[in-house]
């Protein structure tokens, strides 16, 4: 096969797949973006390929469904998809160092300071997958040692998100359950001389850290330090008046080791402890101790913590506690959909998005609302493996897993986004039975037809251009004369018969006798570069066949020639993807 033949065949496959997904009529614009997406090598020469793509789209659209299916099977369009999917579905996780069957304990330690997002999903899935791989245990530990950030609502949101994802921890606990224990370890470190109470002003601590010089507190004699230690835990210090610091090395090139903070005083209501505790351990102190005492064998975290690994092990060494293995993986977020609280919170607080579950956000609540399936997230995350390479995959890479799962289970229904009325001069049918899915056994529905039908403006424009089109599963039409009704705008058309014609577009329609007003909300990426994208949510107010009102809210459907959507309540759906 020559290079040209290979390209031609690759394009043909894309077109055929698209035609299957769009009710037998491939969409030229979608095909082009797929070609570019699936064959980045063709991107530079896409202009030259356009006539070829056009030709193939016309050729495929001119075939009837049976011929399209025959051609698809000859080219193994779907076999390849299945094979690729299978290969990618296999867990991509390398074996764990020092692991043996039945003895692995992993943990997922979110801070309850926001709604869980795709980054949390990655960590939780990898933690669970490793626990399963070794027939071990998974602990969900809420790392709640900063009452300024944490709220009860977020514990619940994390539990719900994980439940939806199918993460089943063997134990659920809070770091705050162990506060007394952690404080006693803090006292022990100071008593042993591995830590000290520092009463320098926060800005001085900051500048001494930057310069790498010791503060005077570090060399206080032990009795003075013990007096301070007593004061630290009995409530004599105000917030910001004192911290406990680990004796690292103020000249260490790794700045995480420049006498990091282990405890600080915070006067705020803790969601679980109220005001019972004022001296709170930092993550750097609590995490290694909790991991060690909980029996965690393999502690995984994202690679921003890499510089803090030395500290993690130093704390455990000073306390004589068992060391787990530490592993890093890269953090996950999608292009244009940052996960950081710093970026998301202002959007929520400023009312720029409707809440943590706004469908533009990468939170699990949002992904769920827009129709992403938990199984797709699993497959996607495992396809990435635990590489350290920082990648921001496009959201489309998750979509492709989701699409394969939605395709066989989603009802095919008609929605017309910019409705234009057509009046059929010589209608023939009063009722048609439509299949809810081209291949899966999802039942049928009856639609009352009418001489008044609505089609998308883009399709009406083709009619006006003189083209004959087919109302899917109904009959063909051609413009009679482009006159406008006196009361309403409409086009008069002639029924030109039911014969399946090869090269005419097949379009979805909604009958005047069988319709409901319907709104589809389409989320786009919330950020363009660093800026909030004000146009990231748009709405199509159109009409849908009335059958849609009988479908349960929360169902995934596909509006033919529009895309997959998830039904909300009251005549609204959120667009999932094409
Ligand atoms: Zn000091």
């Amino acid at each position: 096969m020559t290079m040209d033949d290979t390209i031609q065949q690759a394009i043909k496959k894309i077109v055929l797949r698209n035609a299957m997904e769009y009710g037998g009529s491939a969409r030229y614009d979608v095909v082009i973006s797929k070609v570019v997406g699936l064959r980045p090598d063709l991107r530079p020469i896409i202009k030259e390929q356009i006539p070829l793509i056009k030709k193939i789209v016309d050729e495929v659209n001119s075939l009837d469904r049976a011929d399209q299916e025959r051609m698809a099977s000859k080219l193994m369009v779907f076999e390849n998809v299945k094979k690729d999917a299978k290969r990618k579905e296999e867990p991509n996780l390398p074996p764990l160092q020092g692991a043996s069957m039945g003895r692995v304990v992993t943990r997922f330690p979110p801070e309850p300071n926001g709604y869980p997002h795709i980054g949390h999903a990655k960590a939780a899935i990898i933690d669970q997958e490793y626990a399963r791989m070794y027939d071990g245990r998974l602990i969900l530990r809420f790392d709640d040692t900063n009452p300024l950030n944490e709220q009860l609502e977020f514990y619940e949101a994390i539990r719900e998100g994980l439940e939806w994802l199918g993460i089943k921890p063997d134990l659920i606990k809070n770091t705050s359950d162990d506060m007394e224990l952690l404080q006693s370890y803090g006292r022990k470190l100071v008593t042993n001389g591995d830590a000290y109470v520092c009463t320098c002003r926060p800005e001085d601590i900051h500048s001494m850290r930057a310069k790498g010089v010791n503060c005077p507190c570090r060399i206080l004699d032990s009795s003075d330090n013990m007096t301070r230690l007593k004061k630290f835990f009995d409530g004599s210090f105000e917030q910001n008046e004192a911290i406990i610091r680990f004796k690292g090395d103020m000249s260490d090139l790794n700045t995480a080791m420049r006498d990091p903070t282990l405890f600080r005083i915070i006067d705020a209501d803790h969601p679980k402890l109220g005001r019972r505790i004022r001296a709170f351990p930092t993550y750097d102190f609590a995490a290694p101790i909790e991991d060690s005492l909980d029996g965690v064998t393999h502690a995984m975290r994202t690679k921003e913590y890499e510089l803090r690994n030395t500290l993690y092990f130093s704390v455990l060494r000073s306390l004589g506690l068992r060391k787990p293995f530490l592993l890093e993986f890269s953090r996950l977020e999608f292009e244009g959909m940052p996960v950081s609280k710093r970026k998301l919170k202002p959007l929520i607080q400023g009312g720029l998005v409707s809440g943590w579950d706004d469908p533009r956000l990468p939170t699990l609540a949002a992904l769920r609302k827009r129709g992403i399936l938990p199984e797709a997230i699993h497959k996607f995350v495992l396809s990435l493996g635990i590489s350290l390479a920082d990648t921001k995959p496009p959201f489309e890479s998750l979509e492709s897993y989701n699409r394969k799962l939605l395709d066989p289970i989603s009802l095919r229904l008609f929605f017309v986004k910019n409705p234009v009325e057509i009046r059929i001069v010589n209608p023939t049918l009063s009722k048609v039975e439509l299949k809810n899915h081209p291949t899966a056994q999802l039942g049928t529905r009856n639609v009352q037809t009418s001489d008044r039908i609505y089609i998308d403006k883009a399709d009406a424009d083709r009619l006006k251009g003189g083209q004959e089109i087919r109302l899917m599963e109904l009959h063909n039409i051609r413009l009679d004369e482009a006159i406008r009704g006196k009361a309403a705008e409409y086009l008069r058309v002639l029924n030109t018969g039911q014969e399946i014609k090869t090269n005419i577009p097949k379009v979805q329609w909604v009958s005047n006798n069988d319709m409901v007003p319907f709104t589809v909300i389409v989320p786009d990426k919330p950020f363009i570069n660093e800026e909030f994208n004000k146009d990231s949510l748009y709405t199509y107010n159109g009409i849908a066949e009335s059958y849609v009102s009988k479908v349960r809210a929360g169902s995934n459907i596909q509006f033919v020639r529009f895309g997959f959507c998830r039904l909300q309540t009251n005549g609204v759906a959120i667009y999932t993807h094409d």
Side-chain angles (χ1 to χ4, degrees):
M1 229 190 299
T2 67
M3 172 70 182
D4 283 351
D5 289 345
T6 329
I7 293 177
Q8 186 160 344
Q9 203 171 76
I11 294 174
K12 210 172 244 179
K13 286 184 182 185
I14 292 170
V15 173
L16 276 166
R17 207 177 300 161
N18 188 253
M20 302 285 156
E21 286 166 5
Y22 283 82
S25 185
R27 261 175 54 186
Y28 174 65
D29 53 335
V30 179
V31 167
I32 300 227
S33 66
K34 296 265 162 174
V35 170
V36 174
L38 294 169
R39 290 290 303 262
D41 55 316
L42 296 182
R43 196 188 292 250
I45 53 164
I46 190 72
K47 278 222 171 90
E48 298 158 37
Q49 303 299 328
I50 281 179
L52 176 66
I53 295 174
K54 248 183 179 143
K55 190 174 142 250
I56 296 175
V57 168
D58 289 343
E59 191 182 311
V60 167
N61 286 352
S62 73
L63 300 171
D64 62 23
R65 182 81 189 187
D67 281 338
Q68 286 179 346
E69 273 163 15
R70 261 191 293 279
M71 188 189 257
S73 94
K74 200 171 117 207
L75 289 176
M76 300 199 301
V77 167
F78 292 98
E79 279 79 355
N80 277 350
V81 173
K82 275 181 211 148
K83 219 186 286 160
D84 286 352
K86 206 165 198 178
R87 197 170 48 231
K88 280 180 190 158
E89 276 160 30
E90 280 163 18
N92 215 350
L93 303 177
L96 289 175
Q97 190 190 359
S100 54
M101 283 306 284
R103 313 197 72 140
V104 166
V105 179
T106 60
R107 92 290 187 258
F108 172 57
E111 185 183 7
N113 63 351
Y115 272 58
H117 51 65
I118 189 70
H120 290 111
K122 176 175 179 183
I125 288 169
I126 290 175
D127 288 327
Q128 168 156 299
E129 212 53 45
Y130 268 129
R132 278 190 184 162
M133 203 164 133
Y134 288 97
D135 200 11
R137 297 168 68 237
L138 167 68
I139 299 171
L140 164 60
R141 184 178 76 223
F142 289 103
D143 254 336
D144 53 349
T145 64
N146 186 350
L148 296 174
N149 296 337
E150 295 144 11
Q151 290 174 28
L152 276 182
E153 179 195 354
F154 300 143
Y155 292 78
E156 203 38 51
I158 292 169
R159 272 174 192 264
E160 259 177 37
L162 293 179
E163 199 183 311
W164 174 72
L165 263 188
I167 303 288
K168 296 187 185 72
D170 298 287
L171 173 75
I172 301 178
K173 63 168 294 191
N174 307 311
T175 300
S176 64
D177 300 340
D178 298 328
M179 224 49 113
E180 278 82 7
L181 186 68
L182 291 164
Q183 291 190 344
S184 77
Y185 277 112
R187 287 195 183 91
K188 187 173 168 190
L189 272 194
V190 178
T191 313
N192 290 354
D194 287 328
Y196 59 97
V197 179
C198 168
T199 57
C200 299
R201 296 185 313 162
E203 53 274 34
D204 296 336
I205 295 175
H206 184 78
S207 73
M208 285 185 278
R209 262 201 189 122
K211 287 183 209 141
V213 294
N214 286 331
C215 85
C217 318
R218 198 188 214 263
I219 45 159
L220 277 186
D221 67 33
S222 99
S223 74
D224 288 339
N225 209 13
M226 292 317 288
T227 313
R228 285 180 164 197
L229 178 65
K230 188 172 170 301
K231 280 177 70 183
F232 191 88
F233 284 106
D234 73 10
S236 306
F237 285 120
E238 298 298 315
Q239 187 166 298
N240 291 331
E241 232 180 4
I243 54 174
I244 294 180
R245 300 174 69 179
F246 187 70
K247 271 189 196 163
D249 178 352
M250 287 304 279
S251 60
D252 201 314
L253 287 177
N254 175 358
T255 51
M257 289 307 291
R258 294 186 184 175
D259 292 14
T261 307
L262 304 182
F263 275 90
R264 64 268 199 246
I265 290 172
I266 301 174
D267 282 317
D269 281 326
H270 185 278
K272 297 279 179 189
L273 305 171
R275 293 263 176 169
R276 206 148 60 72
I277 296 277
R278 291 178 76 235
F280 285 94
T282 57
Y283 168 86
D284 284 328
F285 186 66
I289 296 174
E290 289 284 296
D291 286 349
S292 184
L293 298 181
D294 289 342
V296 172
T297 56
H298 295 79
M300 287 164 250
R301 50 187 192 178
T302 52
K303 83 177 164 121
E304 326 60 300
Y305 291 101
E306 213 165 17
L307 286 177
R308 287 146 93 171
N309 288 359
T310 315
L311 176 58
Y312 182 101
F313 291 123
S314 302
V315 166
L316 293 178
R317 192 182 315 111
S318 302
L319 292 168
L321 294 174
R322 181 190 60 91
K323 293 176 195 165
F325 288 100
L326 270 185
L327 282 93
E328 287 93 36
F329 53 81
S330 62
R331 127 196 200 123
L332 171 61
E333 66 181 13
F334 296 113
E335 221 173 65
M337 294 172 89
V339 297
S340 83
K341 305 280 169 327
R342 188 173 50 77
K343 291 216 163 137
L344 297 189
K345 272 198 171 151
L347 301 188
I348 291 157
Q349 285 160 356
L352 293 168
V353 298
S354 60
W356 288 98
D357 65 349
D358 186 288
R360 285 167 283 183
L361 301 184
T363 60
L364 300 184
L367 297 173
R368 176 184 189 172
K369 195 171 178 181
R370 76 184 277 178
I372 300 293
L373 302 179
E375 201 187 339
I377 298 180
H378 276 263
K379 289 182 170 166
F380 169 64
V381 163
L382 292 175
S383 77
L384 299 173
I386 59 163
S387 90
L388 288 174
D390 246 332
T391 50
K392 280 193 192 174
F395 191 69
E396 288 73 17
S397 48
L398 170 61
E399 287 179 3
S400 70
Y401 287 92
N402 204 54
R403 188 175 296 113
K404 279 172 206 146
L405 295 167
L406 286 183
D407 190 64
I409 60 163
S410 302
L411 298 184
R412 286 359 185 216
L413 298 173
F414 290 165
F415 165 70
V416 170
K417 65 179 186 315
N418 296 313
V420 169
E421 186 184 326
I422 55 173
R423 291 204 183 164
I424 304 167
V425 177
N426 51 341
T428 46
L429 301 165
S430 61
K431 198 169 83 175
V432 279
E433 188 181 20
L434 301 180
K435 279 169 95 177
N436 289 339
H437 193 280
T439 51
Q441 299 301 314
L442 297 180
T444 61
R445 62 193 188 278
N446 286 312
V447 175
Q448 299 295 326
T449 63
S450 162
D451 58 343
R452 291 164 67 179
I453 298 271
Y454 295 92
I455 60 172
D456 194 302
K457 185 177 177 304
D459 296 324
D461 288 343
R462 299 211 245 181
L463 264 183
K464 279 193 236 170
Q467 187 160 23
E468 184 178 24
I469 62 179
R470 180 174 183 78
L471 301 173
M472 283 175 171
E473 314 290 332
L474 198 60
H475 55 67
N476 309 327
I477 54 171
R478 187 187 288 288
L479 196 68
D480 182 12
E481 42 187 304
I483 54 159
R484 280 158 187 253
K486 281 186 185 128
E489 283 189 12
Y490 63 86
L491 301 173
R492 266 168 61 110
V493 301
L494 293 171
N495 173 355
T496 52
Q498 276 175 274
E499 180 201 350
I500 310 260
K501 294 194 183 171
T502 47
N503 53 349
I504 65 174
K506 304 169 189 79
V507 311
Q508 82 281 18
W509 50 273
V510 172
S511 154
N512 173 55
N513 273 344
D514 209 336
M515 56 167 263
V516 286
F518 201 85
T519 299
V520 180
I521 297 169
V522 182
D524 199 354
K525 295 184 178 54
F527 282 88
I528 295 176
N529 302 321
E530 294 296 301
E531 291 290 307
F532 177 66
N533 174 10
K534 287 196 201 71
D535 304 318
S536 49
L537 196 68
Y538 49 98
T539 297
Y540 286 118
N541 292 310
I543 50 173
E545 48 180 305
S546 52
Y547 186 81
V548 76
S549 347
K550 294 188 193 144
V551 184
R552 198 170 45 82
S555 300
N556 300 97
I557 55 170
Q558 187 187 36
F559 281 134
V560 174
R561 297 178 72 234
F562 182 82
F564 290 98
C565 295
R566 184 166 185 263
L567 279 181
Q568 314 292 306
T569 49
N570 301 329
V572 176
I574 297 177
Y575 182 74
T576 312
H577 46 64
D578 65 11

